[in-house]
Amino acid sequence: GQNIDQPTEMTATEGAIVQINCTYQTSGFNGLFWYQQHAGEAPTFLSYNVLDGLEEKGRFSSFLSRSKGYSYLLLKELQMKDSASYLCAVMDSNYQLIWGAGTKLIIKP
Amino acid sequence: IAGITQAPTSQILAAGRRMTLRCTQDMRHNAMYWYRQDLGLGLRLIHYSNTAGTTGKGEVPDGYSVSRANTDDFPLTLASAVPSQTSVYFCASTGGNTGELFFGEGSRLTVL
């Protein structure tokens, strides 16, 4: 079966750095997405990786290793507004998205 | 710019009732999706439509139906609601090469 694993919850301190991991087993691979979802709101797109390596976008970076079935989202200089759930999703060989359950990130002052 | 609009934002209904969740987008995206989101689970695809006039079943289609008469609208119907359909429902669309999804604000449905 297809599976996306990410930690259920993480806690970090304002101003610090946090890394949210995602491992996947899917039927084929056509890209990996990270979305941010604040409580009670819709998910919003953060990043897309299809090739191995690191993609940097401001305070957020996303890394992919296809051979290891592994990705991480790195958040730097954490702000209170970064408190949210972070969803990892993989596009399989049928171009359907398989979603992880999300990682709830709690930022403490 | 509206993007994707869902209605209603919240609804409580009795089991056995029929309910239609509306979804409209103004981005001229070809592909549209309905997901449900439940605590502790990832987003699960109910139905999708790759283009106007076509629809397909997702991971959890039972008890739901959709139609896609035109590009903009993609309503989701629960023919006879059951309590297990209590969930938050998100409509989404995509039109880009990367597959980035644009989501509506969600419809919170409670079936009693």
Side-chain angles (χ1 to χ4, degrees), chain A residues 22-24 29-34 47-55 61-73 88-90:
Chain A
C22 172
T23 57
Y24 62 89
F29 179 85
N30 280 300
L32 184 143
F33 297 79
W34 284 97
S47 68
Y48 169 70
N49 294 69
V50 66
L51 299 176
D52 290 351
L54 188 68
E55 295 278 345
S61 302
S62 57
F63 172 83
L64 174 67
S65 169
R66 289 172 295 171
S67 63
K68 295 182 179 178
Y70 168 71
S71 172
Y72 67 73
L73 181 69
C88 175
V90 173

Side-chain angles (χ1 to χ4, degrees), chain A residues 3-36:
Chain A
N3 195 48
I4 310 287
D5 285 320
Q6 50 181 132
T8 302
E9 186 174 297
M10 299 181 70
T11 302
T13 304
E14 188 177 15
I17 299 173
V18 70
Q19 177 176 311
I20 302 173
N21 296 325
C22 172
T23 57
Y24 62 89
Q25 289 179 308
T26 57
S27 302
F29 179 85
N30 280 300
L32 184 143
F33 297 79
W34 284 97
Y35 283 78
Q36 180 190 59

Side-chain angles (χ1 to χ4, degrees), chain A residues 33 35 37 42-43 96-97 99-100, chain B residues 35 37 42 45 98 101 103-104:
Chain A
F33 297 79
Y35 283 78
Q37 185 177 24
Q96 296 293 335
L97 277 176
W99 294 84
Chain B
Y35 287 96
Q37 187 174 42
L45 183 65
T98 62
L101 284 174
F103 285 86

Side-chain angles (χ1 to χ4, degrees), chain B residues 52-69:
Chain B
T54 68
T55 63
K57 294 181 179 180
E59 179 185 357
V60 288
D62 294 344
Y64 306 94
S65 63
V66 292
S67 62
R68 187 85 183 279

